[in-house]
Amino acid sequence: MPVFIDTYQSLLKQCILENILLIIVSKKQSVNDILTLYHVGQKDFGENYVQELVEKQGQLPTDIRWHFIGHLQTNKVKYIAPFIHLIQSVDSISLLLEINKQAIKNNRIIHILIQIKIAIDDSKTGLLIQDLDSFLNEAKNCSNVIINGFMGITSLTNNEEQIKKEFYILYTLFNKYKSTPFNILSMGMSNDYTIAIKTGSNLIRIGSLVFGTR
Ligand SMILES: *Cc1c(COP(=O)(O)O)cnc(C)c1O
């Protein structure tokens, strides 16, 4: 598979100028292609599948910051708990509690984002906004979890107005809770990151733009 270094570097430049954290989504990409980007300075990578992540983590430099961005089953938290940098896809109280439990076991603090459901299609997961308060209440008892913000995925559509609307919902919610350390708004992938940045995102998750289509 190709790695589009020029595209990566111009994207990175934009992100630095606008104070946005660039996560390179390396799911289904080879260890070698990840290393190519690592060697030009990229340290934050996102993965969707636990087994794939654990295998790659074992083969790659230890200063890579791994972000988990896929649907996470509670029974698999234990495999990533020893090293994960940020779990961006926490969408239920049971998952939160399991992450806290595994964080304690590993004597670590685990940082998370709450994935909020903003897409109107049923296929996209995420915590419903109406369940946010009870989630945050539970989180008060989680000694080893720090919530750093929100993550959202828009509907699979080309309708820019719809995408804008969905990002805006999360941006508005984020502004209600924004503080230290609740200061990350993870919105935007290859096809919608421009709109996401305009709508206040400060972390984008980019795969196919840099690696080509999977
Ligand atoms: C795959 C994935 C991405 C990257 O998608 P691209 O369209 O390849 O940029 C970003 N976020 C999540 C949650 C993903 O699953």
Side-chain angles (χ1 to χ4, degrees), residues 143-205:
S143 57
N144 287 46
V145 169
I146 292 179
I147 305 176
N148 285 117
F150 292 134
M151 188 266 261
I153 304 173
T154 53
S155 298
L156 199 62
T157 172
N158 291 323
N159 183 341
E160 279 205 18
E161 283 310 310
Q162 182 59 31
I163 291 173
K164 225 182 269 179
K165 207 160 87 186
E166 293 174 2
F167 280 146
Y168 192 72
I169 289 170
L170 196 52
Y171 172 72
T172 308
L173 192 68
F174 177 64
N175 279 327
K176 270 199 228 166
Y177 292 93
K178 197 178 174 198
S179 60
T180 308
F182 198 109
N183 53 20
I184 298 178
L185 181 56
S186 172
M187 306 193 301
M189 327 196 336
S190 292
N191 58 353
D192 60 10
Y193 77 94
T194 327
I195 307 172
I197 290 173
K198 281 191 202 139
T199 324
S201 165
N202 61 20
L203 183 157
I204 59 174
R205 311 175 308 271

Side-chain angles (χ1 to χ4, degrees), residues 94-126:
S94 56
L95 185 54
L96 167 74
L97 296 178
E98 178 63 16
I99 291 169
N100 189 51
K101 184 176 145 192
Q102 295 299 331
I104 293 168
K105 255 194 189 164
N106 284 275
N107 198 18
R108 293 187 75 209
I109 300 289
I110 295 185
H111 293 256
I112 69 164
L113 303 182
I114 306 169
Q115 182 179 351
I116 299 286
K117 180 174 163 66
I118 52 172
I120 47 169
D121 44 23
D122 285 339
S123 60
K124 298 286 189 294
T125 50

